[in-house]
Amino acid sequence: MIEQHATTAADGTESVPGKTRDALRAAHLYYMQDLTMDAIAHELHTSRSSVSRLLSHARASGLVEISIHSPLDLPSRIEQEILERFEVGAHVIPVPDHASDVDRLDRVALSAARILGRFVDSNQTIGIAWGSTMSAMSRHLVPKAIHNSEVVQLNGAGNGRTTGIVYASELLRRFGDAFGARVQQFPVPAFFDEPETRRAFWRERSTRRLLDLQERMDVALFGVGSPFAEVPSHVYQGGYLERADYEALSRDGAVGDVATVFYRADGSTDGIALNERATGPDFSVLRRAPRRVCVVSGRAKLASLRGALAAGLITDLIVDEGTARALVESPGDGE
């Protein structure tokens, strides 16, 4: 069964822009009165194609929310098994097995963007870890009116080629615009050259202010990095790592990262040398956030996902069906 909900302004539709007013009217006629698009076009004195665009605008702008309730498979078997084995709420996104990783990522990102509104609310601090998955997701966000909230960057984005400010600020701006939230950037490199430099920088008051915000996060949103994916995480393709870094990560047994903090298959981070220079939050900080939403696309990230689950970083998982199936069918530590 599919339920649709159209919302209108409390003081009537006359106070909203013309396109929004028309989209609200078209949505009400289509979803609440079951009129065909031809009938709506006749009533609104416009074309059928214009009605289609108005309905698309109503969905994209959050005027209409569509919920699917299946009496046969709710929750799905895979979602239930993930909950039982890993104590994580899962949203499994249907994607055909033959889909490319690029198409898979876009479909998961689109679904995740529409689910995210359930997790964000007023008076929250929302931490965002930049990366390929978050970038894809940011392009599909559905606006939600909340107040007194802020979006905080979790890890620096600069490297030897670029400051990373343009990339990170554009990503964060999309989240800030979608939720009417203040944006707090973290203008530091992804990795310092020396651990001593990081420790000194962390003592600065301007840096301390951002770190304090991270420690008070209500929601953390992130993907998992993997050097093996067809669509590699931004940290593995954007000039952030040198050959020596890859060799060190291999020696240290790293399988992936969250917010440029690397971990092993068992979720441990101790002794991974690169973490001494990384600017992402320590996992003890990340785990303080009551809600930690991880978005994963592609089976190549299965080892990274397992490590993040072993580290206890995830409360809510949004994942494509093939990866979810592989997660529950293969042996692991979640049992």
Side-chain angles (χ1 to χ4, degrees):
M1 167 179 153
I2 300 179
E3 295 182 354
Q4 299 90 3
H5 308 280
T7 60
T8 60
D11 56 352
T13 58
E14 294 304 318
S15 62
V16 298
K19 183 176 182 180
T20 299
R21 183 173 60 248
D22 292 343
L24 282 169
R25 183 169 180 83
H28 195 280
L29 294 172
Y30 186 75
Y31 292 113
M32 307 302 288
Q33 298 185 29
D34 290 336
L35 268 65
T36 65
M37 283 197 282
D38 286 333
I40 297 170
H42 179 74
E43 182 165 329
L44 299 183
H45 306 290
T46 188
S47 65
R48 190 180 190 278
S49 60
S50 294
V51 172
S52 178
R53 286 193 292 272
L54 287 172
L55 293 174
S56 295
H57 174 70
R59 291 192 297 271
S61 61
L63 297 174
V64 169
E65 297 178 356
I66 300 177
S67 300
I68 301 175
H69 304 279
S70 169
L72 302 176
D73 194 22
L74 183 65
S76 74
R77 179 190 61 81
I78 298 177
E79 290 172 346
Q80 185 64 35
E81 190 162 351
I82 291 174
L83 178 63
E84 292 173 354
R85 290 180 59 180
F86 301 99
E87 297 183 349
V88 165
H91 301 267
V92 175
I93 311 303
V95 182
D97 287 340
H98 59 76
S100 70
D101 274 14
V102 174
D103 184 46
R104 186 181 307 276
L105 172 60
D106 195 57
R107 291 175 65 162
V108 171
L110 174 61
S111 297
R114 293 178 174 175
I115 292 169
L116 183 60
R118 307 178 192 178
F119 302 136
V120 298
D121 212 335
S122 299
N123 306 307
Q124 286 185 336
T125 298
I126 305 161
I128 307 290
W130 55 261
S132 300
T133 301
M134 293 300 102
S135 181
M137 186 175 168
S138 72
R139 292 190 287 270
H140 300 292
L141 293 169
V142 178
K144 179 179 180 180
I146 62 178
H147 66 274
N148 195 37
S149 289
E150 51 195 349
V151 170
V152 180
Q153 182 178 340
L154 291 185
N155 50 324
N159 60 31
R161 302 177 187 174
T162 173
T163 64
I165 291 174
V166 173
Y167 169 76
S169 64
E170 177 63 16
L171 190 159
L172 293 167
R173 181 193 62 77
R174 292 172 185 158
F175 281 93
D177 288 351
F179 303 123
R182 296 183 301 276
V183 172
Q184 301 281 356
Q185 288 187 251
F186 195 24
V188 296
F191 303 98
F192 286 104
D193 289 338
E194 301 292 339
E196 293 79 8
T197 309
R198 176 184 180 273
R199 287 193 287 269
F201 211 91
W202 261 218
R203 291 193 295 268
E204 292 291 325
R205 284 181 297 170
S206 59
T207 307
R208 194 66 253 164
R209 182 182 68 85
L210 270 297
L211 297 176
D212 289 344
L213 286 174
Q214 293 177 5
E215 291 177 357
R216 299 197 304 269
M217 280 187 298
D218 299 287
V219 179
L221 179 64
F222 53 89
V224 293
S226 169
F228 312 113
E230 182 181 325
V231 183
S233 302
H234 195 71
V235 70
Y236 297 102
Q237 65 173 349
Y240 291 90
L241 300 176
E242 306 290 340
R243 177 183 293 273
D245 296 324
Y246 282 106
E247 292 172 352
L249 289 171
S250 179
R251 287 195 303 272
D252 292 338
V255 298
D257 77 282
V258 166
T260 61
V261 175
F262 296 88
Y263 51 86
R264 302 181 184 86
D266 62 0
S268 65
T269 60
D270 294 345
I272 297 180
L274 193 55
N275 288 342
E276 295 297 313
R277 301 190 282 115
T279 55
D282 185 271
F283 286 175
S284 62
V285 172
L286 201 56
R287 283 190 288 260
R288 288 179 200 153
R291 178 144 255 155
R292 306 181 296 278
V293 184
C294 180
V295 184
V296 179
S297 169
R299 296 191 189 196
K301 291 193 173 182
L302 183 59
S304 302
L305 173 57
R306 282 199 166 279
L309 287 166
L313 300 182
I314 304 170
T315 62
D316 297 88
L317 174 65
I318 303 172
V319 60
D320 67 277
E321 186 175 9
T323 305
R325 193 184 313 118
L327 177 65
V328 299
E329 289 177 353
S330 58
D333 298 326
E335 299 173 273

